[in-house]
Amino acid sequence: VTERVMNKAITSPTGMDSNTFVVPHNAEIGLTGLRVVLRDNGQSEPCTNFGSGETEDYLAEIRYEPCSGPATSGIVEGDTSMCVGYDYVVYDTTYERRKSEINRTWQVSADNTLWFNAPNSINKDTLMRIFTGQPLYYRLRTDCVPTTDTTYSAPMLVNAKAGYKCYCFSQAVGGKLLDTSDIGAYSLAGYINNDGGAHLMNLKATHKRQDHTDESPILIDVDSMYEIKVFQTMRNNLHGDAKVTIFMDFNNNHQYDIPDERVYTGYTAVGNFTLIDYLNVPKTTILNTPTGMRVILNNDLAPNVPSDEACGTYTSGETEDYIVKFIQPFPASVNEIAGINNLSIYPNPATNGKFRLEFNGTRNVEKVEIIVLDVMGRKLKEISFQNNGNQFGTDIDLGNETKGVYFVEVKAGADKRVERVVLR
């Protein structure tokens, strides 16, 4: 009944008649069917046989009224900072929708001055591109055909992400049909990222990678133990086991050194799809400097590079990238408050492996212990000195060690300091 727009007996001597009708506001826009039924006797129905008359079928296009002037181009949104090699999305869903005869075209520019039409972008809400390292501006051009009026959205810049936030390429590449597993939630050190949803039949479980590196760094105390939680979600209704691997760049060398910076590996199961475990943070880390943390969930449980070495592509799962900052925890008591003043190491960097260590104490120091460790926490040298007074100085020779970053731990009574030295 709601789709019968005319039901009338023709009594005019000319054999013609007419009627008007209103297209409802909730009618679907686009091509649809239109049927005209004429019969001599009886009630006309759209789907029935009858003796005398005719049925004619047409296609009708339901659309909004044509535009009559400049149309709203909307606002461009999407990813604004990217690492090289990753795909990104820009979109505009706020343009004028209730007018017809409007053409929309995406435009791209390298300098926000000279613009080009993006290929295969006409009347599309979304563009997906691969970031090559070249910053680009995007905008949406809107043309009202009847009046030839043209408007543009405000440009949006997709820029290169700060270098310290970009590590080796890692993501799932299976697509919606093959990539059926995701990290639904992850928590560490008071930080919680929760996408929500059930473990199974979660239609959002198709992320290839999620980038959280533009968020504030997660603060982590060195020489501490932390609880981690990883919740696995799946698109289908059948559980599939997955490997979860976590990496932290302790020495801030912009890569995940294996095996020392692979801090956790665990496996989900049908009765254990929320992993709850613990990881240890060593004391030999670069302090107060933003550095990388990567979480990979991979449905391939076998030994493989993407899960075990933090780099590469895999079929089903997800990579999530974060920024963390390692900090020295507050002393637990007054006796642990550092009393070493003006600790200096020079030259630093040390070009021949030799450097001088000096400090003043806030009180007399009778014994000084010096321990030299590499970035993985391995003890390379341990020296003890008897001292008289509150001043101390000594020369240290690491000429036999390879070039790189080392840590010098100085203990003077109950006081302790750790400083970094670079050998070149």
Side-chain angles (χ1 to χ4, degrees):
V1 176
T2 58
E3 294 183 341
R4 180 187 292 132
V5 298
M6 179 177 178
N7 184 25
K8 200 170 185 181
I10 298 177
T11 59
S12 169
T14 62
M16 298 182 64
D17 211 333
S18 64
N19 198 11
T20 60
F21 63 92
V22 176
V23 179
H25 70 278
N26 59 349
E28 293 289 337
I29 302 299
L31 291 176
T32 190
L34 184 150
R35 172 167 287 179
V36 180
V37 177
L38 185 146
R39 59 182 298 181
D40 287 342
N41 297 296
Q43 177 71 37
S44 294
E45 298 293 340
C47 302
T48 186
N49 293 324
F50 50 89
S52 178
E54 184 184 3
T55 296
E56 292 189 356
D57 284 321
Y58 302 86
L59 281 179
E61 181 183 3
I62 299 177
R63 63 176 188 169
Y64 294 111
E65 64 176 332
C67 58
S68 58
T72 302
S73 292
I75 299 174
V76 177
E77 300 178 273
D79 302 305
T80 58
S81 66
M82 294 300 305
C83 297
V84 173
Y86 288 103
D87 51 52
Y88 62 97
V89 173
V90 294
Y91 58 92
D92 184 346
T93 58
T94 56
Y95 55 83
E96 176 61 69
R97 289 178 172 272
R98 296 188 174 275
K99 299 289 183 181
S100 63
E101 297 192 37
I102 293 176
N103 288 331
R104 294 174 288 108
T105 307
W106 284 96
Q107 294 190 318
V108 61
S109 171
D111 57 7
N112 199 21
T113 300
L114 188 62
W115 290 88
F116 300 92
N117 292 341
N120 303 316
S121 69
I122 296 176
N123 294 330
K124 291 185 177 179
D125 292 356
T126 301
L127 280 185
M128 179 176 289
R129 293 293 186 266
I130 304 294
F131 190 68
T132 63
Q134 168 67 55
L136 293 172
Y137 293 87
Y138 288 90
R139 71 182 185 186
L140 190 67
R141 170 177 172 159
T142 305
D143 295 302
C144 176
V145 176
T147 65
T148 68
D149 287 300
T150 299
T151 57
Y152 301 92
S153 66
M156 188 191 79
L157 175 63
V158 180
N159 209 345
K161 193 179 289 287
Y164 73 90
K165 298 179 180 180
C166 296
Y167 282 70
C168 57
F169 187 87
S170 173
Q171 73 173 26
V173 294
K176 286 189 176 181
L177 295 179
L178 297 176
D179 182 13
T180 63
S181 192
D182 262 7
I183 299 170
Y186 175 64
S187 67
L188 168 71
Y191 172 88
I192 301 175
N193 174 40
N194 188 354
D195 287 337
H199 167 50
L200 300 179
M201 298 296 291
N202 189 328
L203 298 182
K204 297 191 300 181
T206 55
H207 292 123
K208 297 183 290 185
R209 172 181 179 259
Q210 290 198 74
D211 188 344
H212 300 277
T213 59
D214 288 332
E215 300 173 5
S216 298
I218 302 171
L219 300 182
I220 297 179
D221 292 341
V222 299
D223 198 17
S224 302
M225 177 180 288
Y226 283 95
E227 180 184 69
I228 56 170
K229 294 181 181 179
V230 182
F231 171 58
Q232 180 193 9
T233 60
M234 300 197 67
R235 184 177 177 86
N236 53 32
N237 61 0
L238 182 65
H239 170 83
D241 296 345
K243 177 194 290 187
V244 175
T245 316
I246 302 175
F247 307 84
M248 290 184 178
D249 185 12
F250 295 130
N251 61 6
N252 197 229
N253 68 345
H254 210 61
Q255 62 186 27
Y256 296 110
D257 299 312
I258 307 301
D260 300 274
E261 293 182 341
R262 183 174 56 227
V263 298
Y264 176 79
T265 301
Y267 300 86
T268 68
V270 64
N272 186 32
F273 47 82
T274 300
L275 295 180
I276 302 177
D277 217 320
Y278 295 86
L279 60 82
N280 288 302
V281 179
K283 60 184 177 181
T284 52
T285 65
I286 303 295
L287 296 178
N288 303 315
T289 302
T291 191
M293 176 176 67
R294 173 165 284 176
V295 184
I296 296 177
L297 185 146
N298 188 349
N299 281 108
D300 185 356
L301 305 183
N304 57 82
V305 170
S307 289
D308 301 336
E309 299 185 16
C311 302
T313 60
Y314 49 96
T315 300
S316 181
E318 182 185 4
T319 295
E320 292 193 354
D321 282 317
Y322 299 85
I323 295 295
V324 299
K325 183 186 291 185
F326 299 107
I327 59 175
Q328 188 73 44
F330 290 111
S333 67
V334 174
N335 291 333
E336 295 179 15
I337 298 176
I340 300 174
N341 290 339
N342 303 320
L343 175 63
S344 61
I345 294 176
Y346 62 91
N348 189 10
T351 55
N352 60 359
K354 297 179 181 180
F355 56 89
R356 177 78 176 173
L357 184 150
E358 294 179 350
F359 69 85
N360 296 324
T362 57
R363 52 187 176 274
N364 288 340
V365 178
E366 297 180 356
K367 184 179 180 180
V368 177
E369 297 178 74
I370 298 175
I371 301 174
V372 179
L373 307 103
D374 64 13
V375 292
M376 303 308 173
R378 291 183 285 261
K379 190 181 298 183
L380 305 178
K381 187 184 291 284
E382 184 173 7
I383 318 169
S384 296
F385 301 90
Q386 295 300 317
N387 190 65
N388 184 19
N390 65 342
Q391 295 183 332
F392 176 81
T394 187
D395 295 314
I396 298 178
D397 186 357
L398 297 180
N400 293 328
E401 303 298 334
T402 58
K403 297 178 181 179
V405 178
Y406 296 84
F407 295 90
V408 180
E409 181 181 288
V410 181
K411 295 181 180 179
D415 306 331
K416 181 174 72 172
R417 288 282 182 88
V418 177
E419 292 290 338
R420 182 180 68 164
V421 63
V422 179
L423 303 187
R424 288 184 179 172

